[in-house]
Amino acid sequence: PYDVEMAYKLAPPGGKFLLGADPYGRDIVSLLLVGARSSIVVGIIAVSIGLVIGTAFGLLASAKRGWVEEGIMRLADFGFAFPAILSAIM
């Protein structure tokens, strides 16, 4: 994706370049795919962390009834009370 081909600079979308080329002759689709790769990895890691922590707390709440279950439920209620953007800012 980083190969510079000045002969194709600002090439329109077509045969060789699906979305065209940038001012340095690099393929736009290749650059988008390279950029998406890191975003997908970050998303997968974030979901995995949430899955592991959520499963652990769910199993703990089901195993230890009583005040432990109530505490975990109140913690979950507190998390759901805020919009996602507010939680991201915090």
Side-chain angles (χ1 to χ4, degrees), residues 55-77:
T55 302
F57 277 141
L59 290 172
L60 181 66
S62 67
K64 304 275 189 184
R65 297 281 197 182
W67 64 271
V68 175
E69 180 184 18
E70 287 295 320
I72 292 173
M73 283 296 292
R74 296 304 151 241
L75 185 66
D77 289 342

Side-chain angles (χ1 to χ4, degrees), residues 8-63:
Y8 295 108
K9 74 177 196 174
L10 298 175
K16 186 169 181 177
F17 303 110
L18 242 54
L19 292 178
D22 69 355
Y24 298 107
R26 298 177 297 193
D27 185 24
I28 302 274
V29 172
S30 298
L31 293 171
L32 286 173
L33 290 175
V34 168
R37 182 175 25 184
S38 60
S39 298
I40 290 172
V41 168
V42 167
I44 289 172
I45 290 172
V47 168
S48 299
I49 290 171
L51 180 72
V52 168
I53 291 174
T55 302
F57 277 141
L59 290 172
L60 181 66
S62 67

